Amino acid sequence: MAASKPQSQKVQFIEISPSQAGQRIDNFLLTLEKGVPKSRIYRAIRKGEVRVNKGRIKQTYKIQAGDIVRVPPLRVTEREAPTHVSESLRQQLLQDIIFEDDSMLVLNKPSGLAVHAGSQIQVGVIEAFRIIKPELAFLELVHRLDRDTSGCLLLAKSRDSLLNLQQQMLSDQIDKRYLTLLRGILPNNEELVEQPLLKNTVSSGERMVKVTPDGKRAKTLFIRQQDLSLAQLTEVKLYTGRTHQIRVHAAWTQHPVAGDDKYGDREFNKTLKSFGLKRLFLHAWRLGIRHPVSGDPMQLEAPLPTALQQVITKLELA
């Protein structure tokens, strides 16, 4: 039987297709049950509510074509999968496609749009494109960008392309470059930060990241691009991909990212608002990758949004 739309109030038995094979069971369930907390899925696996071919499995189990997966009710409340996107969002996303072929799609993601749905977000980039392009049998995010970050976002159109691009990410073969605006001026033309980062959740439920010896390895290179009044336009090369990495490392150098209301400087942000900054000044500018099928090198570039360019122009005149 083919995978059907999840029915959250009853047990499902899903036969794994060849295009779904090879992924971990926890990732499969996260994709299948959008918006369900990871803790709920891990608990269901641990308690044996999720079974494969009638047997218990670990969360690291990789599903195979022909496996029969028992999926228990995982949602507390019914949440309908989105079936519609506004015409304005449809047009914006189609216009923001940087590159597309049979194996992948590259989007210049706008700021303010989440990459996937969540408890408070019904439609993200991936859900929108699945509606806009219903003819695609497979479409998955290769990586993520924070909701407020704009720029290059990779989506794979096949399982093989997804695994190839993710492996490039994991082995640091992808050259990831960002543009950001930092408070003040860095003392050197290049500033390499290698400080471990730890992700935790505070009592309010907000996700926070901090520099601590107990954290995971994180490496960021800040490259001076243009000195401006009050700030510096800076190119950033990411060697690792930790949550909020650029923002936390920038704050650690005492040169926080403009418009960052979580790790930034309140007075600096207030001043930049007078120059027209209404968002986080962080843009995924360039991605250097190898095509997942041909292996040819590709340089993908998302131009700096007009709103951010206008802030730079005003700072140049200040």
Side-chain angles (χ1 to χ4, degrees):
M1 77 184 89
S4 59
K5 178 184 171 183
Q7 299 295 320
S8 57
Q9 300 306 315
K10 64 181 182 180
V11 172
Q12 300 174 86
F13 290 91
I14 297 174
E15 182 176 350
I16 300 303
S17 68
S19 67
Q20 295 169 319
Q23 57 185 314
R24 282 173 40 150
I25 185 67
D26 54 349
N27 291 332
F28 170 70
L29 293 171
L30 285 166
T31 300
L32 185 71
E33 296 283 356
K34 296 292 185 184
V36 174
K38 289 182 181 180
S39 58
R40 172 69 185 102
I41 285 173
Y42 293 149
R43 185 167 69 250
I45 295 172
R46 190 171 59 249
K47 292 173 66 177
E49 296 177 65
V50 175
R51 294 187 176 237
V52 177
N53 304 326
K54 299 184 179 180
R56 297 173 74 115
I57 37 81
K58 295 184 178 180
Q59 67 190 47
T60 54
Y61 174 80
K62 292 188 176 181
I63 55 178
Q64 304 300 318
D67 279 351
I68 304 298
V69 180
R70 179 191 188 274
V71 182
L74 293 171
R75 298 171 187 265
V76 177
T77 58
E78 182 70 23
R79 185 167 173 270
E80 291 294 326
T83 58
H84 173 75
V85 296
S86 68
E87 186 59 26
S88 60
L89 178 58
R90 177 190 298 268
Q91 290 299 324
Q92 180 179 21
L93 290 177
L94 290 175
Q95 290 170 7
D96 285 340
I97 293 174
I98 298 169
F99 175 87
E100 183 177 12
D101 66 5
D102 291 339
S103 60
M104 67 177 185
L105 183 154
V106 187
L107 179 74
N108 182 1
K109 186 190 84 67
S111 175
L113 180 63
V115 296
H116 57 73
S119 57
Q120 304 297 322
I121 303 166
Q122 187 176 21
V123 178
V125 169
I126 189 67
E127 291 82 17
F129 268 114
R130 285 172 179 158
I131 295 168
I132 294 168
K133 293 179 175 288
E135 71 278 8
L136 297 179
F138 182 96
L139 190 65
E140 292 290 348
L141 293 164
V142 175
H143 63 119
R144 289 169 168 76
L145 291 177
D146 289 344
R147 184 176 184 178
D148 294 330
T149 302
S150 55
C152 292
L153 181 69
L154 296 175
L155 290 82
K157 290 185 175 181
S158 72
R159 173 66 51 191
D160 287 345
S161 293
L162 176 67
L163 296 176
N164 180 285
L165 290 165
Q166 287 183 332
Q167 183 56 42
Q168 289 186 52
M169 286 270 182
L170 290 171
S171 56
D172 295 337
Q173 295 177 44
I174 291 184
D175 185 9
K176 293 173 281 188
R177 305 280 176 145
Y178 288 69
L179 288 176
T180 188
L181 193 67
L182 302 184
R183 184 189 69 184
I185 305 298
L186 289 169
N188 304 305
N189 287 333
E190 294 190 357
E191 196 80 22
L192 183 64
V193 179
E194 295 186 79
Q195 294 294 329
L197 300 177
L198 181 66
K199 180 171 60 178
N200 64 349
T201 304
V202 296
S203 57
S204 63
E206 186 178 17
R207 184 174 58 178
M208 296 291 289
V209 179
K210 63 180 180 179
V211 171
T212 172
D214 299 331
K216 293 182 178 180
R217 170 182 171 268
K219 183 178 178 181
T220 311
L221 178 65
F222 295 95
I223 305 168
R224 194 170 180 171
Q225 277 239 347
Q226 183 181 1
D227 294 351
L228 300 161
S229 173
L230 309 171
Q232 177 184 286
L233 180 65
T234 306
E235 178 182 342
V236 184
K237 177 177 172 58
L238 273 186
Y239 293 91
T240 53
R242 306 301 177 200
T243 300
H244 300 167
Q245 179 176 323
I246 294 174
R247 297 160 66 184
V248 178
H249 275 175
W252 183 84
T253 68
Q254 304 300 312
H255 299 277
V257 172
D260 189 347
D261 58 6
K262 184 172 286 193
Y263 307 103
D265 179 277
R266 184 178 299 178
E267 288 303 313
F268 176 55
N269 292 343
K270 185 177 179 181
T271 300
L272 265 290
K273 277 187 178 180
S274 67
F275 286 86
L277 184 62
K278 299 178 180 179
R279 51 160 286 196
L280 177 73
F281 200 123
L282 186 58
H283 180 69
W285 176 39
R286 285 179 176 168
L287 281 178
I289 70 169
R290 290 198 171 273
H291 190 276
V293 176
S294 69
D296 293 337
M298 299 180 68
Q299 184 87 318
L300 304 162
E301 182 172 324
L304 196 66
T306 301
L308 297 186
Q309 187 59 56
Q310 288 173 345
V311 172
I312 292 173
T313 300
K314 290 178 181 178
L315 287 170
E316 287 174 333
L317 299 173

